[in-house]
């Protein structure tokens, strides 16, 4: 090994060690319930690698210059460069893994009397919307039921960043393969990569994604005065977490992104259900179900009972005010929270 290569290897090892220490500081500093376990970490990694692979395939098909040896290295190279996190893919993959895990646990622990298939509306005028939701849900699972993250389910800005990052990685690999001929081909490679990104992004239809489909159904139910407690409880019982998020978002009048992270935490869910004015009986059953399937406390049933009591004491207008803080500009909202935490 040449001396310069040895220095480069030592620097890379030092950077990797520092990154590992930063990750340990972040994760060990969390309370146990917030730490990543092996299942979540492994599943999120598989989801992220699959998404990167799909993007790579699309870009290589759109631009032959991006195709060639070494493309299997793209997920590893992006991760080592910190680009998986910067694109938002790491967070999106973990959120999808968490959602799948919660959905599976809810389906196994169904305690509602609602039919197991979930709350598809009986009104034939809503059949198209209900079918679109089923199709979007099916697209998020592979043939054996493991979770997928379709490209149209990524936030637009994250998807945009991811495509450019993968294109850059493929272009870098392509230029490295050219060796001494690299200088004369660099401009053409970059133009080809840019054109491939533009073409492939333009072909993705956000309307086919789970967010658009579930919100269309939830809004139609609201228009028909049918977005009732039973439909919401049925979505939870059937483990249809995305549909549940859309129903609660529409009923509360907030963005669906603010609701998704709420559903898996019994305390946050209790506040949201109060803001949505759910009946005490149905809300209590939902809070208990989530507390039991998550089991973040040593005695989840006792913790659920305390949350249900607090739910009853919390005025609806106070709950609505708290939930609707999510409408505020994020930096402003974060500053308010930091100020409120001061002694």
């Amino acid at each position: 090994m040449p001396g310069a290569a040895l220095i480069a290897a030592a620097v890379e090892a030092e950077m990797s060690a520092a990154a590992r220490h930063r990750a340990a500081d972040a994760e060990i500093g969390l309370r146990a319930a917030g730490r990543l376990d092996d299942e979540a970490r492994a599943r999120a990694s598989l989801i992220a690698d699959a998404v990167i692979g799909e993007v790579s395939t699309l870009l290589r098909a759109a631009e032959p210059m991006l195709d060639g040896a070494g493309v299997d290295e793209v997920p590893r190279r992006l991760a080592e460069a910190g680009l998986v996190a910067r694109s938002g893919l790491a967070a999106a993959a973990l959120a999808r893994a968490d959602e799948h895990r919660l959905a599976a646990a809810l389906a196994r622990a169904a305690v509602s009397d609602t039919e197991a298939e979930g709350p598809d509306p009986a009104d034939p005028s809503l059949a198209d919307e209900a079918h679109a939701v089923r199709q979007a849900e099916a697209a998020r699972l592979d043939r054996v039921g493991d979770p997928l993250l379709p490209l149209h389910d990524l936030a637009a800005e994250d998807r945009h960043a991811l495509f450019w990052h993968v294109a850059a990685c493929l272009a870098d690999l392509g230029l490295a393969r050219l060796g001494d001929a690299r200088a004369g081909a660099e401009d053409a490679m970059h133009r080809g990569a840019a054109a491939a990104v533009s073409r492939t992004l333009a072909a993705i239809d956000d309307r086919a994604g789970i967010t658009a489909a579930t919100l269309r159904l939830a809004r139609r139910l609201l228009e028909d005065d049918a977005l009732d407690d039973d439909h919401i409880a049925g979505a939870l019982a059937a483990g249809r977490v995305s549909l549940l998020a859309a129903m609660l978002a529409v009923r509360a009048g907030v963005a669906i992104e603010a609701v998704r992270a709420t559903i898996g935490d019994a305390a946050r869910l209790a506040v949201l259900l109060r803001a949505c004015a759910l009946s005490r009986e149905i809300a209590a059953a939902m809070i208990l179900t989530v507390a039991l399937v998550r089991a973040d406390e040593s005695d989840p049933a006792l913790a659920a009972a305390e949350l249900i009591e607090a739910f009853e004491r919390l005025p609806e207008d106070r709950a609505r005010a708290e939930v609707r803080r999510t409408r505020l500009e994020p930096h402003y909202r974060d500053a308010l929270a930091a100020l409120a935490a001061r002694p």
Side-chain angles (χ1 to χ4, degrees):
M1 176 186 291
L6 178 59
I7 295 295
V11 170
E12 182 179 355
E14 182 179 358
M15 292 174 63
S16 296
R20 188 168 182 266
H21 292 159
R22 287 194 298 272
D25 288 342
E27 188 163 338
I28 294 172
L30 291 171
R31 64 188 180 94
R35 296 177 191 165
L36 287 181
D37 59 24
D38 291 342
E39 179 186 347
R41 186 182 291 106
R43 202 180 283 279
S45 295
L46 288 172
I47 291 169
D49 286 353
V51 173
I52 292 169
E54 182 180 2
V55 174
S56 175
T57 298
L58 290 172
L59 291 172
R60 288 186 287 118
E63 176 48 69
M65 282 193 299
L66 298 177
D67 201 6
V71 295
D72 292 340
E73 299 177 19
V74 172
R76 178 184 61 80
R77 287 166 61 90
L78 290 179
E80 290 176 351
L83 293 172
V84 176
R86 285 171 57 185
S87 69
L89 176 58
L94 178 59
R96 178 70 187 103
D98 283 345
E99 179 191 355
H100 176 77
R101 190 176 189 174
L102 176 62
L106 289 169
R108 287 194 302 267
V111 295
S112 171
D113 290 335
T114 307
E115 56 186 275
E117 286 301 306
D120 284 340
D123 187 345
S125 69
L126 297 177
D128 289 344
E129 287 85 353
H131 180 65
V133 171
R134 289 288 187 181
Q135 282 188 313
E137 289 172 335
R140 305 180 91 219
L141 297 171
D142 66 14
R143 285 178 293 180
V144 297
D146 286 332
L148 299 173
L149 181 58
L151 293 175
H152 49 227
D153 285 351
L154 282 171
E157 60 272 21
D158 292 345
R159 184 169 64 233
H160 180 91
L162 177 63
F163 269 74
W164 282 108
H165 290 165
V166 174
C169 188
L170 291 171
D172 185 62
L173 286 167
L175 292 170
R177 288 192 299 271
L178 293 175
D180 293 339
R182 171 186 183 126
E186 193 159 342
D187 285 347
M189 180 70 77
H190 295 328
R191 287 196 302 271
V197 170
S198 296
R199 288 196 297 272
T200 50
L201 282 175
I204 297 172
D205 184 4
D206 286 329
R207 294 172 298 177
I210 192 70
T211 296
T214 53
L215 285 174
R216 281 195 299 270
L217 177 55
R219 286 168 181 153
R220 280 295 311 275
L221 288 168
L222 184 68
E223 291 169 5
D224 294 352
D225 198 27
L227 189 53
D228 54 31
D229 293 6
D230 288 336
H231 272 118
I232 291 172
L236 181 81
R240 300 179 71 183
V241 177
S242 294
L243 180 56
L244 174 63
M247 289 178 167
L248 290 173
V250 169
R251 187 146 154 179
V254 297
I256 191 171
E257 292 78 13
V259 173
R260 284 196 179 105
T262 298
I263 293 172
D265 182 272
R268 297 171 70 186
L269 178 64
V271 175
L272 179 59
L273 297 181
R274 190 60 166 166
C276 292
L278 262 73
S279 71
R280 190 267 181 201
E281 179 183 358
I282 287 180
M286 293 176 69
I287 294 166
L288 177 61
T289 298
V290 171
L292 291 175
V293 299
R294 291 303 299 263
D296 292 336
E297 306 291 340
S298 58
D299 189 345
L302 178 59
E306 293 173 349
L307 290 175
I308 293 166
E309 181 181 357
F311 168 89
E312 295 172 335
R313 294 175 180 270
L314 179 64
E316 285 184 17
D317 57 351
R318 178 70 185 88
R320 280 193 291 270
E322 181 64 27
V323 167
R324 288 176 181 173
R325 284 167 69 96
T326 60
R327 294 172 171 176
L328 300 174
E329 200 281 334
H331 296 295
Y332 182 74
R333 185 176 68 244
D334 291 346
L336 287 175
L339 291 167
R342 293 179 64 209

